[in-house]
Amino acid sequence: MHEYIGFLLPIHMKINVIKKSLSFILPVLLLIVLSGCEKKYQRPDHYEVDLFKDERQQGTAYIMDREECFDGSELVITSSDVKLADSSKGRGKTFFLYKVKSGKTMKTIRDSSVDYPFMFLSHQRLKLENDSIYLYLKKLDGYRFIAADRNLKYEWLKAAPVYTVKKDN
């Protein structure tokens, strides 16, 4: 009998040894390579470049002061008789309808007189108080069907808060 050592093996025996070792090593190597790959395409924010990072101010809203509100509005009324009439909350784009029963006109551009009671639209819920407040209104843009149905002509000035008349004195 012949004893074969390593590199002295005949060719047909060398091939069998190589086939057996590859059948064990190849799947292990494949698993190592696949588990080591990181999928970076799943995290696009990692590569995102923010061009306006210095200009963004999150969590802060612009609030107009009294003079800006007065100058930016077309109709300013003081009234203590303002009530929430209706809202579209839960039915699409949210808006609120307020009814003004009486008031005193402080500034007007479009109309020389205002007929009471009238309604106006607001995109935000107003914090109404029992005191007399300023109503900063402008001409209604859009909402054609609601305006015809409810006879709306005005909407709340967008960045205007609710100011009471007592604080002004």
Side-chain angles (χ1 to χ4, degrees):
M1 267 216 170
H2 296 278
E3 292 209 19
Y4 298 107
I5 301 173
F7 60 91
L8 299 176
L9 285 173
I11 301 277
H12 71 281
M13 292 180 93
K14 286 182 184 178
I15 293 173
N16 286 340
V17 172
I18 292 171
K19 282 184 182 177
K20 288 180 183 176
S21 63
L22 282 179
S23 65
F24 293 115
I25 294 173
L26 194 60
V28 172
L29 286 175
L30 188 64
L31 286 174
I32 291 171
V33 169
L34 290 178
S35 66
C37 293
E38 182 181 348
K39 296 181 181 178
K40 295 193 179 205
Y41 61 86
Q42 291 180 346
R43 294 188 55 213
D45 59 330
H46 178 70
Y47 299 103
E48 186 175 291
V49 177
D50 191 3
L51 299 175
F52 303 102
K53 64 183 174 186
D54 296 332
E55 296 176 13
R56 183 177 296 124
Q57 298 173 352
Q58 294 180 350
T60 59
Y62 178 71
I63 299 174
M64 300 172 84
D65 61 3
R66 292 175 193 262
E67 291 80 23
E68 286 178 313
C69 292
F70 193 84
D71 293 338
S73 59
E74 296 178 9
L75 178 67
V76 179
I77 296 175
T78 58
S79 177
S80 61
D81 204 3
V82 180
K83 302 287 182 207
L84 178 65
D86 196 7
S87 71
S88 72
K89 193 168 186 172
R91 295 179 279 168
K93 188 176 181 182
T94 304
F95 61 87
F96 302 92
L97 296 177
Y98 290 93
K99 187 172 190 175
V100 181
K101 293 183 181 175
S102 64
K104 181 180 176 187
T105 305
M106 303 298 286
K107 173 188 172 183
T108 182
I109 293 176
R110 295 179 57 205
D111 303 327
S112 58
S113 66
V114 179
D115 297 327
Y116 294 99
F118 75 93
M119 295 180 77
F120 68 91
L121 182 136
S122 176
H123 297 286
Q124 69 227 21
R125 187 176 184 110
L126 303 177
K127 295 179 182 177
L128 300 176
E129 300 179 12
N130 295 336
D131 297 335
S132 186
I133 59 171
Y134 287 105
L135 302 175
Y136 300 107
L137 306 174
K138 66 177 186 171
K139 180 184 173 192
L140 181 66
D141 292 329
Y143 300 96
R144 185 175 68 204
F145 298 115
I146 298 169
D149 185 42
R150 296 288 185 114
N151 195 20
L152 294 174
K153 295 180 184 176
Y154 297 102
E155 68 179 317
W156 184 260
L157 191 63
K158 235 184 187 149
V162 176
Y163 287 115
T164 59
V165 176
K166 280 187 176 181
K167 291 181 180 177
D168 192 31
N169 293 339

